[in-house]
Amino acid sequence: MRLRILIFFTLFFCKSILVSQTTVSNPVKSDFSQTLNILASDSMQGRKANQRGGILAGDYIATKMKSYKLKPYNKAQDYFQVFEIEEHFVKKTTLQFKKRNHKTISLSSGKDFEVTPIVNSIQKKQIEVVFASYGLDLLKENYDDYRNVDVKNKVVIVLSGFPSDQDSTSTTYKKFKKIFPEENDLEETKLKTAVSKGATALIIIEKENFKPENKENEVFHSLENSKSESIPVFRIRKATAENLFSKIRIPLKNDLTSTSLEKIKINFSIELKHEPSYVGNILGVIPGKDTTKTIIVGAHYDHLGIKNDSIYYGADDNASGTSGMLALAKNWSESKIQPKYNILFAAWTAEEMGLLGSEYFVQNLNLKDQKILLCINMDMISRSAPEDKARRILSIGTEKETDYLKKIASESNAKLQNPFTLDLWETNGHSGSDYASFTAKGIPIMTFFSGFHEDYHTPRDIDSKVDLDKIQDVLFIVNNSLLKFIENQPN
């Protein structure tokens, strides 16, 4: 009898050890709240990648990784992956319209239009013009604004937004909103489409008037020595466009069909100056039993810095994701479990400049010696969109080919006491955050996002407005999805 009892307790004890060695505790508020507050504080000055605040934030994150006993990712035995970027400032830009036998109309930079340049100065004269409605070509939706026009070597004029974007109750709005869940993704799609059609430049007619003093779009960032595969983008004020099109007798309305503006020619020029600077990703790893395979848990730590004497704190974008990444790193490290594979905890830099940090990392991966099984991305996980009255919608993006990741996310969400309403969407063709650097290399991703809000990219994105409960529940799903993913991998 005593032997049976001894055997029972021995088996129970061994089973308990086995269970404890295959799980990692879920982060709680105390694991991330202080980190978020520090990253979104005055002292971090908005964390612009190549300014003092970005450097301070990087040092702070590296210190946290060291305190969690993460191993430096690179051979230099520190946590920084430093690289050079270039800022391309617009010294001078011109944009002119001329109708046959009429006076040339010159627009004023800043007042009438803004420009996002390419990496080299450029000048073009007497370029033909095509109006292409909203500038979208969506084969899957049988929608093509380029169907009846040829834009090769021409300037393309398009409207901002998408069809019926002023009527959120319409079927058309809901269809396009589902295709473009991220606001900045829509313009990126228009640009890529215009480039693929062979256009020389893209002009976007804004539906909302920007402020004349907003010069942010007159700076373009790139990795050092990168080759541009893009074209200049001009954004014209709504009022300016209405006045301009009236003078050259071209109607401007939402249902205007695509057409070649044969009587109009455009001249434009962009003169740039270039300034290099150094920035750095912060990378710490928990080595796995199989060191040839890696799972990445990442978030960008940079934001917009200081503009017009105002600090853009970026509490949600993306102190929330960064503090969440560090909380997961802390708990995985403290669990004393050696994971099956390497777990790389990454704080990406220069996301706001065009995903430059994650792009540099991916460009320098040796995929022959290292297989990336999954990249988890967290970008803005602490707020809710205005329409999310219950504050319980969570967007999780995966690629179309990875339905098993949707299942893992749904199963993890179901374990919550108060599950989210999940918006499971496909990232194919989208590039709104650092996940895009990995999908471009065929690496599976899960990207977490809790909704755009009215404080996005404003000085009002402050730590007192974040929803700590929401972050905690998002991290519950991330952690459980990570555990489930590892468990499901073949031996």
Side-chain angles (χ1 to χ4, degrees), residues 351-368:
E351 189 270 355
E352 301 288 1
M353 296 177 174
L355 318 184
L356 299 187
S358 55
E359 182 183 344
Y360 180 84
F361 175 85
V362 168
Q363 284 182 2
N364 289 274
L365 269 178
N366 185 348
L367 293 175
K368 292 182 180 178

Side-chain angles (χ1 to χ4, degrees), residues 42-98:
D42 286 349
S43 63
M44 294 296 177
Q45 301 175 3
R47 309 186 309 280
K48 187 169 183 180
N50 59 346
Q51 293 181 351
R52 184 172 181 270
I55 296 170
L56 290 173
D59 287 340
Y60 173 75
I61 293 165
T63 300
K64 297 293 284 187
M65 288 186 175
K66 185 176 182 179
S67 71
Y68 300 153
K69 296 181 172 54
L70 302 187
K71 302 295 183 182
Y73 178 74
N74 62 34
K75 294 179 180 178
Q77 295 304 301
D78 63 39
Y79 297 94
F80 293 88
Q81 184 185 43
V82 178
F83 58 96
E84 189 173 354
I85 64 171
E86 285 190 338
E87 284 191 297
H88 310 278
F89 295 88
V90 177
K91 290 175 63 177
K92 183 179 179 181
T93 180
T94 62
L95 181 60
Q96 299 176 327
F97 288 74
K98 184 174 183 179

Side-chain angles (χ1 to χ4, degrees), residues 228-471:
S228 175
E229 296 180 0
S230 190
I231 56 177
V233 179
F234 296 87
R235 296 170 190 80
I236 298 182
R237 288 180 71 231
K238 178 183 177 183
T240 297
E242 290 172 344
N243 182 47
L244 170 69
F245 277 59
S246 172
K247 286 182 179 179
I248 58 180
R249 297 183 180 179
I250 298 296
L252 180 62
K253 52 185 180 179
N254 290 353
D255 59 351
L256 182 63
T257 54
S258 301
T259 182
S260 177
L261 306 180
E262 296 178 355
K263 296 180 181 180
I264 306 298
K265 294 290 189 294
I266 284 182
N267 303 328
F268 70 85
S269 67
I270 305 172
E271 182 182 353
L272 300 175
K273 66 175 180 178
H274 312 280
E275 290 185 5
S277 58
Y278 288 93
V279 297
N281 295 319
I282 320 298
L283 308 170
V285 65
I286 299 176
K289 296 173 183 176
D290 181 352
T291 58
T292 67
K293 297 176 181 176
T294 299
I295 297 169
I296 299 172
V297 179
H300 78 87
Y301 71 94
D302 66 299
H303 195 53
L304 303 180
I306 298 175
K307 298 193 296 182
N308 299 324
D309 297 324
S310 294
I311 298 176
Y312 285 64
Y313 294 95
D316 184 38
D317 185 15
N318 187 34
S320 65
T322 304
S323 60
M325 177 274 295
L326 288 171
L328 289 163
K330 172 181 177 291
N331 285 16
W332 276 78
S333 178
E334 290 178 350
S335 71
K336 307 299 183 183
I337 297 170
Q338 184 179 21
K340 191 173 182 179
Y341 312 111
N342 301 329
I343 309 292
L344 172 61
F345 295 94
W348 309 120
T349 189
E351 189 270 355
E352 301 288 1
M353 296 177 174
L355 318 184
L356 299 187
S358 55
E359 182 183 344
Y360 180 84
F361 175 85
V362 168
Q363 284 182 2
N364 289 274
L365 269 178
N366 185 348
L367 293 175
K368 292 182 180 178
D369 298 333
Q370 185 69 214
K371 183 176 182 180
I372 308 299
L373 300 175
L374 174 68
C375 178
I376 293 175
N377 182 59
M378 293 176 285
D379 194 350
M380 299 173 60
I381 59 169
S382 67
R383 298 282 298 271
S384 301
E387 60 270 20
D388 180 11
K389 303 300 183 185
R391 298 164 65 135
R392 294 305 290 176
I393 294 176
L394 177 64
S395 169
I396 304 176
T398 57
E399 289 199 284
K400 183 179 180 180
E401 302 80 12
T402 55
D403 281 341
Y404 67 96
L405 293 176
K406 294 185 181 70
K407 182 180 179 183
I408 286 174
S410 297
E411 290 175 349
S412 299
N413 181 55
K415 293 179 181 179
L416 282 169
Q417 186 174 359
N418 180 20
F420 288 107
T421 298
L422 294 184
D423 171 26
L424 300 175
W425 63 284
E426 294 172 358
T427 62
N428 302 63
H430 296 277
S431 56
S433 186
D434 287 303
Y435 65 81
S437 299
F438 295 89
T439 56
K441 288 288 187 179
I443 296 169
I445 62 96
M446 297 179 77
T447 186
F448 293 79
F449 169 69
S450 63
F452 282 110
H453 47 84
E454 63 277 5
D455 298 331
Y456 171 70
H457 278 198
T458 74
R460 301 186 305 273
D461 183 9
I462 56 179
D463 58 357
S464 62
K465 294 187 178 182
V466 304
D467 184 342
L468 296 177
D469 291 317
K470 192 163 197 175
I471 299 177

